[in-house]
Amino acid sequence: MTSLGRRSTTVSEQVEHEADDAIDRGGYDFNAMQAKWRPVWEKLDPFKARDDGKSERRYALTMFSYPSGDLHMGHGEVFALHDVLSRFWFQQGYDVLNPIGWDSFGLPAENAAIKRNEHPATYTYANIETQAESIRRYALSFDWSRRLHTSDPEYYRWTQWLFLRFFEKGLAYRKASYVNWCPNDQTVLANEQVVQGRCERCGFEVTKRELTQWYFKTTDYAQRLLDDMDQLQWPEEILLQQRNWIGRSEGAFTAFEVDSQVEGREEPIKVFTTRPDTLFGATFLVVAPDSKLAADLVTPDQQEAFDEYLKAVKASTEIERLSTDREKTGVFLGSYATNPVTGERIPIWAADYVLSDYGTGAIMAVPGQDSRDWEFAEKFGLPIVRTVQPEEGFDGKAFTGDGPAINSSNAEISLDGLGVTEAKSAIIDWLEDKGLGERTINYRLRDWLLSRQRYWGAPIPIIHCPVDGEVPVPDDQLPVELPDLRGAALAPRGVSPLASARDWVEVSCPKCGGPAERDTDTMDTFVDSSWYFLRYISPDYTEGPFDRAAADRWMPTYQYVGGKEHAVLHLLYARFFVKALHDMGMLDATEPFTRLLNQGQVINEGKAMSKSLGNGVNLGDQLDAFGVDAVRLTMVFAGPPDDDIDWADMSPGGSLKFLQRAWRLSGSVESPVGVDFSTGDLALRKLTHKAVHDATELIESYRFNVMVARTMELVNATRKAIDSGPGAADPAVREAVEAVAVLLSLVAPYTAEDMWENLGHEPTVAKAGWPKVDPALLVEDSVIAIVQIAGKVKDRLEVSPDISDADLEQLALASEAVQKALDGRGTRKVIVRAPKLVNIVPA
Ligand code: ANZ
């Protein structure tokens, strides 16, 4: 932040320079503090979740860590932010559950194992230990007694158990279809893992393969996943992404009779349309080339042309298929259908812009109102009839807007003159009446494809028997443990490596006792992370995946903190899981996460950190140079938590200096522990009470950076009171410094603990309790300071009449309105006239 001295030097220069600055610590030694307090806390174990019903519960959750290497800057940020909330609730006296564990199955460990010729567990558990050590050093308020790893058999036993309950309810099933296939990772992917046609993990272009795979029936929950969003206090952006992903469309099914000459095809073709009002303009039908329908409808004389087209379609990638600016391709199938309202005979085509797994895989093409259909009609010389009157002056092609219907009447019904909404409803009524169609709602959401052809995951607990079919592994034989495979045996070859472990695969059928085989696929690791927050609640429970009574006490989690990249993956899957468990009578909660905070990214020099750019910043190096507290403080003070943090603009050295200043206060206090504060200096007391009071609201609304700015203000005022005010023996000074220690305990736990000891208290400051605020002291004579950017008023701040220039500047720069107006620009100059005016000249 500018107020701590923004520099434009490279990070390594910055580290060097600021480490030099930090040498004169005036007795403040972060290494000594870290060494001193860690063992004390480990002994006290202050963050073990209490669950005795004496206080209100709050479940604070950070997104699951994946054990790849050591912690990085992103972890540093998310953990620091999350810890402010968790520690705040501890201070407020809530029973907080703040667990930690590892999402430890997954491909990276498997790929590493192939390379190193070892077992994935070796790499996985070594990384976990490294991360666990770093997390402990980072002093987070986790309850370590609940630690779990999804790759432990004791965990995946219950993942498998849950799968079987879903299976029994028909919520897990197997089907053959064209699925997303990553040629690099040699495994299928869920729709959610395909981003713009590429594998979410490795970036390879995804192709299609016909395979028999396991699915969860997420589509059963489409409407409830939408409806229940209004219970969620989540960023609007994430809710919107989920809404779009679920993609509810209201429309109708309409039936088109097929010409009698198509052999073996009698039932009519059903299409899904969101614009039944345009039915009079449906001049041809288009079916997905890779659908059974297309194969059925092709006539012998078009067979060859069709086969050729289908081959080309299969070779094309999803990216190509979905791209809108690509020239339309297609092939006439030789057959015809009848438009139910015009009675006209219309041709049936196959084209790849129609997808086989949406709606019915067939559309009525209305070129007059649909751009893709227009292009297609133009290219292949098919008729175009407008059924909506375009607005005056419209000279485009398809008209997709609202307007009065035209060319839309027959002997029985006329839509002419009606607007789109009325026309829709009139035509659907008529179609329903005639048995030619029906109102319907369609969702873009697909079932969740959960099987993977890879090793390092939970085996699917099903046995395939030639007599009994799919037979669940009996509960008392769970977990189905992974066979011991390592190194080259794990190399991807398109079928699961488990298939090669014949001893493991060949079993007898639990039903008939005859020879049978285990399912050789493993579950998507998103299955593991769809219920881990429930396991945390009773990690040692042996009667089921979680203790229902305890789960009902703690769920839903009050606060979730993590990245936005999970908008339609983990966050959707976990919601589906909780709803399904609720319906099975296993849980009261219907939603997993009430509040969601997405942190921004830590970037460097304006760009995401990456190996190729060489702009990576190592968290461990930062911690070595500046100490845990200064790094955490820098993360929290950088700005609103959802903004990106450009580390090149940060000054951890400045944070360190502030911590020293705060810490020195604790050695200056001259009044005894327990002194009566009410006799203290009124002005300082007011400032203290206001800071504590405001912090509550600032923290609950995620404005942690402002809370820190207020703490800085209090530190400066206290220093002034000691040096040139009522003096170090004034009780108000002790009150202020104790408040500073508690406020800082949320962000800089080592410094705060040391201060607490200097003040004469026993550890731990983490449980000191939130200072009581006296409402009488909140009535303050305050003045309004105007904050301008380039002469324009951006904010008004209520400040104390004797605020210093430096404090006012800090407050002004921390203001949300100012941050927004600056929009990432730095400042060239800041002119401060405390307590009335701040004028900022942007860079
Ligand atoms: C006729 C029509 C006329 C359409 C018009 C649109 C505009 P959403 O909103 O995404 O649900 N459609 C239906 N199934 C399809 C499939 N499998 N592949 C590609 N397109 C498909 O879109 C529904 C609309 O997308 C449907 O309404 C259908 O085209 C097309 F002026 O029918 B419409």
Side-chain angles (χ1 to χ4, degrees):
M1 301 254 30
T2 317
S3 51
L4 290 178
R6 189 183 290 256
R7 305 170 198 273
S8 55
T9 43
T10 68
V11 169
S12 59
E13 277 168 12
Q14 186 191 346
V15 169
E16 223 166 83
H17 191 89
E18 292 182 352
D20 286 349
D21 277 2
I23 286 174
D24 174 23
R25 295 179 183 130
Y28 176 98
D29 180 348
F30 61 76
N31 283 314
M33 283 182 207
Q34 286 171 202
K36 174 173 177 182
W37 292 115
R38 211 178 119 173
V40 174
W41 295 334
E42 271 165 27
K43 207 151 143 221
L44 286 175
D45 200 9
F47 307 115
K48 205 170 159 94
R50 211 172 46 196
D51 185 19
D52 56 13
K54 290 209 184 100
S55 310
E56 199 183 313
R57 295 179 185 79
R58 274 201 177 165
Y59 188 169
L61 187 67
T62 49
M63 283 189 188
F64 226 9
S65 293
Y66 184 78
S68 49
D70 200 350
L71 301 186
H72 51 64
M73 294 295 278
H75 289 114
E77 184 194 11
V78 69
F79 284 143
L81 296 171
H82 173 81
D83 216 40
V84 172
L85 289 163
S86 167
R87 285 175 175 269
F88 172 62
W89 292 321
F90 273 113
Q91 292 287 21
Q92 294 228 312
Y94 288 97
D95 283 351
V96 180
L97 170 57
N98 183 25
I100 174 79
W102 279 267
D103 190 12
S104 49
F105 270 140
L107 261 186
E110 190 165 339
N111 291 338
I114 296 167
K115 245 208 205 126
R116 299 161 184 221
N117 198 26
E118 60 186 27
H119 194 281
T122 314
Y123 172 88
T124 303
Y125 287 91
N127 281 343
I128 290 177
E129 285 318 315
T130 306
Q131 289 195 350
E133 167 59 24
S134 297
I135 292 174
R136 286 186 188 273
R137 174 191 189 195
Y138 210 53
L140 300 158
S141 59
F142 289 127
D143 177 350
W144 285 90
S145 70
R146 292 161 189 267
R147 167 175 178 173
L148 58 81
H149 319 117
T150 57
S151 54
D152 290 351
E154 268 320 297
Y155 183 88
Y156 70 73
R157 161 202 300 271
W158 299 112
T159 306
Q160 292 172 336
W161 187 94
L162 286 167
F163 174 91
L164 292 176
R165 302 293 86 78
F166 280 66
F167 177 73
E168 285 159 9
K169 289 277 175 235
L171 286 172
Y173 70 94
R174 226 156 67 111
K175 77 169 179 204
S177 73
Y178 283 96
V179 297
N180 303 306
W181 177 261
C182 174
N184 182 47
D185 292 337
Q186 295 267 312
T187 183
V188 299
L189 301 171
N191 283 358
E192 288 79 2
Q193 289 162 332
V194 181
V195 179
Q196 292 176 337
R198 292 175 183 276
C199 172
E200 173 238 0
R201 198 189 334 258
C202 71
F204 248 69
E205 278 191 17
V206 168
T207 57
K208 290 279 181 184
R209 266 211 182 178
E210 189 171 20
L211 286 172
T212 301
Q213 298 285 307
W214 286 97
Y215 291 83
F216 280 134
K217 230 165 178 321
T218 39
T219 50
D220 273 9
Y221 286 83
Q223 190 57 47
R224 277 166 62 195
L225 287 166
L226 281 177
D227 291 342
D228 292 352
M229 277 190 209
D230 35 302
Q231 301 171 26
L232 304 178
Q233 297 161 45
W234 289 17
E236 203 40 58
E237 179 193 346
I238 303 289
L239 293 174
L240 185 69
Q241 281 187 59
Q242 283 214 358
R243 219 171 272 131
N244 290 341
W245 186 259
I246 297 167
R248 179 191 155 107
S249 300
E250 291 181 28
F253 287 127
T254 310
F256 287 73
E257 293 295 338
V258 181
D259 244 32
S260 49
Q261 79 200 39
V262 183
E263 254 175 75
R265 170 89 208 177
E266 254 135 56
E267 75 265 37
I269 299 176
K270 237 171 128 182
V271 304
F272 168 68
T273 175
T274 47
R275 295 289 305 273
D277 60 298
T278 63
L279 183 53
F280 283 89
T283 52
F284 56 101
L285 297 185
V286 187
V287 299
D290 48 346
S291 64
K292 177 156 185 310
L293 200 55
D296 283 356
L297 289 169
V298 64
T299 57
D301 49 326
Q302 286 298 98
Q303 188 71 51
E304 205 184 314
F306 172 71
D307 289 345
E308 208 165 295
Y309 182 61
L310 183 59
K311 220 162 95 193
V313 169
K314 280 187 176 163
S316 68
T317 66
E318 190 99 331
I319 300 190
E320 292 162 348
R321 232 178 128 162
L322 292 178
S323 119
T324 43
D325 50 7
R326 195 168 60 110
E327 197 169 307
K328 292 275 169 299
T329 60
V331 63
F332 176 47
L333 290 178
S335 49
Y336 292 85
T338 306
N339 181 316
V341 284
T342 63
E344 260 170 64
R345 189 163 175 263
I346 61 174
I348 307 174
W349 285 67
D352 66 357
Y353 75 96
V354 175
L355 306 172
S356 58
D357 62 353
Y358 186 65
T360 62
I363 66 160
M364 63 181 212
V366 186
Q369 273 69 234
D370 183 287
S371 311
R372 293 168 308 175
D373 297 345
W374 181 291
E375 280 170 41
F376 194 83
E378 231 177 19
K379 166 127 189 229
F380 294 105
L382 295 158
I384 298 175
V385 178
R386 283 196 195 280
T387 57
V388 177
Q389 179 68 55
E391 61 217 4
E392 280 247 345
F394 176 80
D395 61 357
K397 297 179 169 180
F399 177 68
T400 57
D402 203 343
I406 52 172
N407 302 323
S408 296
S409 64
N410 63 23
E412 290 180 38
I413 177 164
S414 172
L415 306 176
D416 288 342
L418 299 180
V420 169
T421 312
E422 302 88 52
K424 268 190 198 175
S425 139
I427 189 73
I428 296 178
D429 287 345
W430 186 84
L431 288 168
E432 284 189 336
D433 220 42
K434 292 258 162 194
L436 290 170
E438 62 196 339
R439 249 185 199 85
T440 184
I441 292 163
N442 213 13
Y443 300 90
R444 196 152 284 278
L445 183 71
R446 298 282 72 117
D447 282 340
W448 169 12
L449 197 173
L450 72 106
S451 36
R452 296 290 178 276
Q453 290 69 48
R454 297 301 299 256
Y455 171 79
W456 194 229
I460 291 175
I462 292 285
I463 290 166
H464 299 282
C465 169
V467 179
D468 295 306
E470 292 159 358
V471 182
V473 172
D475 285 356
D476 62 8
Q477 290 172 29
L478 299 179
V480 176
E481 284 200 48
L482 285 165
D484 186 356
L485 298 180
R486 53 188 69 204
L490 304 175
R493 47 175 79 79
V495 291
S496 170
L498 292 180
S500 66
R502 296 313 298 172
D503 289 356
W504 181 87
V505 171
E506 286 161 18
V507 288
S508 42
C509 169
K511 259 199 190 151
C512 68
E517 296 202 344
R518 289 192 190 282
D519 199 292
T520 56
D521 284 352
T522 53
M523 292 187 229
D524 181 0
T525 55
F526 279 107
V527 181
D528 310 328
S529 56
S530 287
W531 73 281
Y532 75 109
F533 44 90
L534 292 165
R535 187 69 188 164
Y536 276 146
I537 292 172
S538 45
D540 303 317
Y541 193 63
T542 53
E543 307 297 304
F546 51 88
D547 172 357
R548 160 131 207 204
D552 287 343
R553 289 199 296 274
W554 286 104
M555 288 293 291
T557 54
Y558 179 75
Q559 177 74 56
Y560 206 16
V561 182
K564 335 184 201 296
E565 64 278 13
H566 287 294
V568 293
L569 287 155
H570 164 60
L571 289 173
L572 192 69
Y573 295 146
R575 294 186 64 213
F576 159 71
F577 248 67
V578 165
K579 287 181 193 306
L581 295 178
H582 171 88
D583 288 358
M584 290 186 233
M586 292 166 63
L587 195 63
D588 277 353
T590 54
E591 282 289 336
F593 318 120
T594 304
R595 305 202 322 163
L596 173 67
L597 170 64
N598 291 132
Q599 81 280 7
Q601 274 191 321
V602 188
I603 59 175
N604 191 26
E605 292 154 356
K607 295 187 195 72
M609 294 187 200
S610 78
K611 275 205 188 106
S612 58
L613 290 176
N615 67 341
V617 179
N618 181 279
L619 179 63
D621 293 348
Q622 297 289 309
L623 296 177
D624 290 345
F626 303 108
V628 168
D629 285 356
V631 171
R632 288 179 52 152
L633 179 71
T634 305
M635 298 280 190
V636 173
F637 189 54
D642 49 351
D643 280 7
D644 288 349
I645 300 176
D646 192 333
W647 202 251
D649 291 344
M650 295 299 123
S651 170
S655 300
L656 183 56
K657 280 197 193 136
F658 162 70
L659 289 173
Q660 290 166 10
R661 240 182 305 136
W663 176 85
R664 263 185 240 122
L665 290 179
S666 66
S668 308
V669 172
E670 285 174 11
S671 58
V673 173
V675 69
D676 179 4
F677 295 146
S678 70
T679 60
D681 175 71
L682 194 60
L684 183 57
R685 293 205 70 206
K686 281 186 164 182
L687 207 62
T688 304
H689 283 249
K690 184 100 174 63
V692 172
H693 170 265
D694 292 357
T696 303
E697 200 210 304
L698 291 168
I699 294 167
E700 287 282 359
S701 58
Y702 307 137
R703 284 144 71 204
F704 313 140
N705 57 323
V706 185
M707 182 272 287
V708 171
R710 300 292 302 273
T711 308
M712 291 172 169
E713 193 191 341
L714 183 57
V715 166
N716 293 341
T718 310
R719 174 47 61 198
K720 213 162 136 197
I722 293 171
D723 292 348
S724 56
D730 191 291
V733 167
R734 168 170 283 277
E735 186 179 33
V737 180
E738 291 193 349
V740 168
V742 173
L743 289 167
L744 277 185
S745 75
L746 314 185
V747 187
Y750 292 107
T751 308
E753 194 71 82
D754 229 54
M755 290 177 71
W756 201 239
E757 182 183 53
N758 291 344
L759 285 164
H761 294 290
E762 290 293 312
T764 165
V765 67
K767 287 289 193 72
W770 199 243
K772 285 245 162 0
V773 172
D774 179 353
L777 292 170
L778 296 177
V779 194
E780 203 198 349
D781 340 304
S782 60
V783 292
I784 299 293
I786 304 282
V787 186
Q788 301 182 330
I789 295 184
K792 286 212 188 83
V793 177
K794 292 293 168 195
D795 207 353
R796 291 183 166 75
L797 303 172
E798 204 183 323
V799 297
S800 130
D802 48 343
I803 189 168
S804 69
D805 281 2
D807 288 345
L808 182 57
E809 174 177 345
Q810 245 165 45
L811 273 183
L813 290 169
S815 135
E816 225 171 292
V818 168
Q819 291 271 345
K820 209 168 145 204
L822 283 176
D823 193 21
R825 283 177 297 170
T827 60
R828 191 145 57 83
K829 203 159 156 201
V830 183
I831 305 149
V832 188
R833 299 276 174 275
K836 288 270 157 79
L837 181 74
V838 181
N839 198 354
I840 299 168
V841 185

